Amino acid sequence: MEMDEMIAEMQKRFKPYTEKEGDYKTMPEEGVDRKHILEAMSSIIEIENKAWETGHVSGAVYNGQTEHVEFTNKAYSIASQNNPLHPDVWPSSLKFESEIVSMVRNMLNGDSSVRGSVTSGGTESILLAVKTYRDYAKDKKGIAEPEIILPKSAHAAFDKACHYFDIKAVWTELDENYAADVKDIREHINENTIAIVGSTPCFPYGVIDPIPEISELARKNEVGMHVDACLGGFILPWAKKLGRNIPDFDFSLPGVTSISIDTHKYGYAPKGTSVILYRNSDLIQHQFYVNGSWSGGIYFSPTMAGSRSGGVIAGTWAALLEQGKIGYINATRKILEASDKTRAGIRKIKGIREMGQSPFVIAFTSDEVNIYQVMEGMSRRGWILNGLHRPAGVHLALTLRHTEEGVTDMFLKDLSEVMDEVRANPGEESGMSPVYGMAATFPEEAVKDFMRSIVEWMYT
Ligand SMILES: Cc1ncc(COP(=O)(O)O)c(C=O)c1O
C-alpha cells in the first residue's frame, strides 16, 4: 500500500467530519445558538457512542451504564467551576481529593503513612512517580545519571517520563508467559538504578508481573519499586476477594514504594483522573512543586498541572461512593466471568494463539495468518480492538460493556468467521493493517518520523 493510500485510510478513520458537518477554522463572528451547538455535537457523538455502547470496543469505556454516567455527569456539573488550585475558594475539592486518596490507599492495603495525589490520568501518575524517584535519588543518594528498570511490557508512559526527565530507560526481557523476567531485572540493577517497575497487569497482554519477587529485589537493593496498577488496580483487590489466584501486589508488600491506579478506568470515574500513591511522606515531598519567591504570590501545586478540573475530581469521589466495595466486587465478578468465557471460546478457534494469561485482557496472535488483517476484519464488523506490536498481536480488554447479554458470543462468532475469511484471502491488506505492517518492518527512527508527521496532521 502506498503512503497516500495510508493517509486516505486515516483520513476516513480520524477525520470523517471535516466535510460533512462544516468546520470552524475561525471563530464565528457572532455566537452560535446553544441549541444548535448541542445538536451538532450530539449528532456526531451519538453515532460514535454506538460502538462502545454495544460492547464493540476494547477497554476505553469501562462502565458506560446510562444511570451511572448520568449520575457522575451530575456530580461533575455540581462542581464544574471548582479549581483545586484555589483551595481557599473550594475547600470542597481538597476534601474530595484527600478522601479519594484515602479510600484508594485503604483498598490497596496502605496504612496512614501512605500519601498520594489525584492526577489527570495514568500517564500523569507515572510521569510524577518517575520524576519523584529521580529527585529522591539525587537528593538522598547523589545519583546524577538515573536509570529505571522497565520490563518490556511496561506502559509507554514510563518511556515518555524517561524522555521528559532525562532518565535512562533500561528495558528488561519478559519470560515465556509474557511476565517480567525477575532474573533479567536482577542483572540490570546497578548503582544508578532509582526504581524498578512492575505492572498489575501490563497493558499489552494483561499479564500480572511477579510483584512479590520484584519488590523483594527492590527492597534488598534499596531502590524504589513502582507498581503500575493503572489498569488493574480496581479489579485485582476484588478478584482476590472473589477467590481468584491473584498474588500480593500492593502496600502489603514491604518493597512496594509507589502505586499508580486509574480511577477513570475500572474505578468508573469520569475520564481525567488517576491516583498516585507513595509509601511515605519522604517520597511524595519530592513530587511537589513549591515556589516561595514568585511575584504572583506563594505558589504550590502537588501535580503537573496548575489549574485542574474540580469537576472530574468531584465526579470521581461520587463514583467511589456510588459503587462502594460491593459495587466493585459485583462488577469485577461479571467482568471475570465474561473474560473466562471469552478465553475458553478463543481456545476453540483454529489458528489463534493466546499471548499470556490474564484475568480480564485477552491477548492473542496467529501463527497461520496476519493478525493485523484479523484486526481489520473485526474492525469491518464494528470491533475496535487494540493492536499489539513487536511481537504482533491484538487484545480485547473486557469491561462492563462486554458483560451485557450476547456480547461475548457475538465477539467469538465474528472472530471465528474473520479467521476463516483471512485464511481464504491471505494477501488482502486493508485499513490499518499495512500501517502496523510497516511499523514492524521499518527501522524505528523512520517509524517515529512517520508517526510525528501523522500526529501533526491529525491536529492540523
Ligand atoms: C498498565 C497501564 N499503565 C498506564 C496506562 C496509561 O493510562 P492513561 O491512558 O490514563 O494515561 C495504561 C492505559 O491503558 C495502562 O493500561
Side-chain angles (χ1 to χ4, degrees):
M1 195 184 239
E2 296 296 320
M3 191 64 86
D4 23 336
E5 284 177 76
M6 276 193 220
I7 300 274
E9 181 58 40
M10 288 196 225
Q11 175 88 30
K12 250 197 316 198
R13 214 163 275 227
F14 302 123
K15 298 193 173 196
Y17 305 123
T18 28
E19 282 172 18
K20 263 192 232 150
E21 298 293 328
D23 44 3
Y24 290 101
K25 288 203 174 111
T26 59
M27 217 181 280
E29 206 52 40
E30 260 183 52
V32 177
D33 177 51
R34 285 181 183 141
K35 188 162 168 276
H36 176 84
I37 299 171
L38 296 179
E39 278 170 7
M41 286 173 69
S42 301
S43 70
I44 54 180
I45 293 175
E46 272 166 16
I47 298 168
E48 294 171 356
N49 288 355
K50 289 274 168 335
W52 63 258
E53 279 167 2
T54 52
H56 280 74
V57 178
S58 171
V61 177
Y62 294 83
N63 184 306
Q65 280 157 358
T66 310
E67 307 82 58
H68 167 79
V69 174
E70 282 173 2
F71 167 72
T72 51
N73 285 352
K74 227 173 236 169
Y76 171 89
S77 68
I78 293 171
S80 71
Q81 301 308 300
N82 281 37
N83 180 354
L85 187 64
H86 306 294
D88 45 349
V89 186
W90 291 287
S92 57
S93 283
L94 268 187
K95 169 187 158 68
F96 297 146
E97 184 161 354
S98 50
E99 289 185 7
I100 294 167
V101 168
S102 180
M103 286 189 262
V104 174
R105 137 182 118 175
N106 176 261
M107 182 178 76
L108 298 177
N109 290 308
D111 62 23
S112 60
S113 56
V114 168
R115 297 281 181 274
S117 304
V118 177
T119 71
S120 62
T123 298
E124 190 187 348
S125 292
I126 288 167
L127 291 174
L128 284 170
V130 173
K131 183 212 90 77
T132 298
Y133 283 118
R134 182 197 67 175
D135 293 355
Y136 181 87
K138 188 169 180 202
D139 185 23
K140 305 280 179 182
K141 300 182 184 173
I143 294 179
E145 292 181 11
E147 298 184 8
I148 188 159
I149 298 182
L150 304 173
K152 281 185 176 166
S153 56
H155 196 272
F158 290 98
D159 190 56
K160 185 176 185 176
C162 290
H163 183 70
Y164 280 6
F165 305 131
D166 201 15
I167 294 165
K168 182 173 170 193
V170 178
W171 293 99
T172 57
E173 295 301 326
L174 305 183
D175 66 18
E176 63 284 5
N177 302 313
Y178 298 87
D181 181 342
V182 181
K183 187 166 161 282
D184 203 36
I185 292 176
R186 186 182 297 116
E187 282 168 12
H188 284 88
I189 298 176
N190 64 31
E191 67 284 0
N192 286 328
T193 304
I194 58 169
I196 309 172
V197 169
S199 307
T200 61
C202 67
F203 173 82
Y205 319 108
V207 168
I208 302 170
D209 284 333
I211 306 299
E213 290 85 348
I214 302 174
S215 66
E216 257 324 273
L217 208 52
R219 197 182 59 78
K220 286 199 183 121
N221 286 278
E222 296 181 356
V223 299
M225 160 84 215
H226 180 83
V227 173
D228 181 12
C230 281
L231 190 58
F234 274 90
I235 294 269
L236 302 192
W238 314 115
K240 206 170 181 152
K241 285 208 161 51
L242 289 166
R244 298 280 171 142
N245 183 18
I246 305 289
D248 290 340
F249 71 97
D250 58 19
F251 289 112
S252 57
L253 297 169
V256 170
T257 49
S258 60
I259 303 180
S260 48
I261 169 165
D262 286 358
T263 30
H264 71 186
K265 293 191 173 83
Y266 294 94
Y268 310 133
K271 270 287 173 254
T273 65
S274 164
V275 173
I276 174 70
L277 295 169
Y278 299 95
R279 177 159 299 270
N280 54 43
S281 150
D282 215 8
L283 273 168
I284 203 170
Q285 282 293 325
H286 290 82
Q287 173 184 294
F288 300 146
Y289 173 75
V290 291
N291 190 330
S293 62
W294 183 41
S295 56
I298 303 281
Y299 186 95
F300 62 90
S301 64
T303 59
M304 296 271 171
S307 291
R308 288 184 293 153
S309 162
V312 290
I313 291 175
T316 300
W317 180 81
L320 291 169
L321 297 188
E322 177 219 33
Q323 294 293 314
K325 294 178 184 173
I326 305 288
Y328 287 117
I329 287 185
N330 289 339
T332 301
R333 182 187 294 111
K334 285 192 202 165
I335 291 169
L336 296 177
E337 283 170 7
S339 175
D340 289 349
K341 186 175 161 195
T342 311
R343 189 172 290 285
I346 69 158
R347 283 188 179 149
K348 292 189 195 138
I349 300 177
K350 188 176 163 294
I352 295 247
R353 173 163 60 80
E354 294 167 76
M355 299 172 92
Q357 294 303 306
S358 163
F360 60 95
V361 177
I362 315 278
F364 55 92
T365 189
S366 176
D367 301 320
E368 282 184 27
V369 298
N370 177 348
I371 197 67
Y372 298 133
Q373 282 175 251
V374 176
M375 181 170 82
E376 203 44 47
M378 289 298 275
S379 162
R380 279 196 297 274
R381 290 170 181 240
W383 293 94
I384 306 180
L385 306 178
N386 294 96
L388 309 176
H389 179 47
R390 300 185 191 213
V394 172
H395 88 206
L396 172 74
L398 282 100
T399 71
L400 278 173
R401 295 291 85 219
H402 305 102
T403 67
E404 298 286 327
E405 188 68 31
V407 175
T408 50
D409 288 334
M410 190 165 50
F411 174 79
L412 291 168
K413 179 173 172 289
D414 280 344
L415 183 59
S416 171
E417 289 173 6
V418 166
M419 280 298 286
D420 290 342
E421 281 166 21
V422 176
R423 208 179 277 111
N425 305 288
E428 220 168 73
E429 291 252 54
S430 64
M432 292 299 282
S433 115
V435 179
Y436 270 96
M438 181 205 75
T441 49
F442 279 33
E444 199 184 339
E445 277 316 307
V447 176
K448 281 184 174 175
D449 283 345
F450 172 71
M451 286 166 68
R452 264 188 285 268
S453 56
I454 291 296
V455 176
E456 185 180 334
W457 164 80
M458 277 181 156
Y459 294 95
T460 304

